[in-house]
Amino acid sequence: MAELNPTPFQASVLAVPENISLFLGGGRGGGKSWAMGLLILRHIELHREHARVLYIRRSFPGVRDFELVLRQLFGAAYGQAAQYNASDHVWRLPHGYVELGCLDGPGAYDRFQGRSFTLVVVDELTQFPEPAPIDMLRSNLRAPEGIPTRTILAGNPSGPGHAWVAQRYVFRSVPWHGFDTEGVRFIRAISTYMDNPHLDRSDYERQLQAACTGDPELFKAWTTGDWSVARGAFFAGSLEEKRSAIPVWAYIPKGWKTFLAHDFGSSAPSVTYLMARSPGALGPDGQFYARGSLVAIDELATSRPGRPNEGLGWTVPRLSESILEMCARWKVPPRGCADDACFARTRGYNAPSLADEFSACRVYFQPAGKGSRKTGWERMRILFSQAGKPDLPGLYISRNCTYAWETLPSLPRDPRNFEDVDSSAPDHAADALRYACIWKPVGARQMAI
């Protein structure tokens, strides 16, 4: 086999035993693609005819990029004995089997259902908004006795799946040390473009700088591989935990106006916040909140544990019951604002809307009046940036609003619209808070809540 000369980073990755899975999770340009290719090649050479490899990305354009990597590696290793069927995306080798595929929609996993692989490789992991498709692939890992099965994952900071990836694979342990997650032993291997001797590093840094114009936090995440930096992707420079995170309140002071802010979901999470508007006074925590400040006091989020983009499928009556319980705990009326879509009569003119169903359950919403998403996001950023100032209203979130703190700090930008969030990411808490920031109650009774 031809000499392939791995970089020091790639050599370190190859030194990890086959019975330990890998997360390649540093910055961009660190040689992760070649590392994955070398790992696939070694797996085939070690296990010969027993080796069955599946490489996955979210879209086929990304798959085609990796085809080029394998063409060079397999060409060096096997010459003309390596044959690629471009229509089936399958490599036929002297021994072993390699298939390239994508999971680009809800039914995409069906093509892999019931099949067996000894190595599953998933690239650009943070492009998957939630982990369910990746978890399903684990059921495909089957091998004869004595042959280890393995998962190799790779991804960069930012992207719609940043939150769940960071929670599972980044903050569990320091790099190059083993940790257990979801019942599997992993090691996180890190690299940046500075570890790749095959790059023109100065030119690559300029390209990254151009791609991150206006977002220095994203540039820092991509160049240093710092996953904590990317937490501020969309709200970079405005949301800071030390200013906006407040202790859990024991009660709501007199004179504070309360209301609900709701974003509905079924397959996606529903999120409801109990909000309080300051009259310009001290809170129960002893902090002064400028007049007009908004405080998210409590939260009801119907997301599955560890899957921030997957809802519990609650019906309106079930959801209303929990909203009423939350309001009863705080002794406040169950009134507020909700997504304008809740008021649409999508099932016919005479059919009740979601808002009508909530009203029948004694939970009363007005349309949030969303208007421009850009305007709402800008209002949120202004309020976040003013948090902690005694003379300007700010937006504050209690530490018992765990879903907000899990998802808000890592919410990425829409790569096609820099002034919007990536709606494939878990943006449900952000949407509910955006409604709270822009809602203007209509009518005297609503103003009095």
Side-chain angles (χ1 to χ4, degrees), residues 235 237-249 275 285 287-289 293-297 379-389 392-401 404-405 408-409 433 437:
F235 293 108
S238 58
L239 174 60
E240 292 184 13
E241 184 177 352
K242 64 182 180 182
R243 292 187 294 106
S244 286
I246 63 169
V248 179
W249 286 8
M275 306 295 300
D285 54 352
Q287 176 175 333
F288 180 80
Y289 295 86
S293 291
L294 293 173
V295 180
I297 295 174
R379 177 61 178 160
M380 276 187 69
R381 285 194 281 204
I382 289 171
L383 289 173
F384 274 138
S385 67
Q386 292 175 176
K389 296 182 179 180
L392 293 171
L395 177 57
Y396 303 85
I397 304 173
S398 172
R399 290 196 179 275
N400 68 344
C401 297
W405 286 115
L408 273 179
L433 290 168
C437 291

Side-chain angles (χ1 to χ4, degrees), residues 259-291:
F259 64 96
L260 301 173
H262 175 77
D263 183 60
F264 182 78
S266 180
S267 59
S270 283
V271 182
T272 309
Y273 287 103
L274 172 58
M275 306 295 300
R277 189 184 305 274
S278 172
L282 294 175
D285 54 352
Q287 176 175 333
F288 180 80
Y289 295 86
R291 182 179 180 83

Side-chain angles (χ1 to χ4, degrees), residues 106 130 132 263-270 302-304 307-315 403 428:
E130 45 91 20
D263 183 60
F264 182 78
S266 180
S267 59
S270 283
T302 62
S303 65
R304 293 189 181 278
R307 299 185 178 185
N309 230 5
E310 187 175 338
L312 297 174
W314 283 11
T315 62
Y403 183 75
H428 318 289

Side-chain angles (χ1 to χ4, degrees), residues 343-385:
F343 300 83
R345 299 187 183 277
T346 56
R347 293 168 290 183
Y349 181 77
N350 293 321
S353 66
L354 287 171
D356 293 332
E357 293 184 29
F358 275 112
S359 295
C361 297
R362 298 180 292 113
V363 176
Y364 306 101
F365 290 127
Q366 290 184 357
K370 291 190 290 189
S372 165
R373 285 171 61 89
K374 178 181 177 181
T375 301
W377 295 133
E378 185 59 26
R379 177 61 178 160
M380 276 187 69
R381 285 194 281 204
I382 289 171
L383 289 173
F384 274 138
S385 67

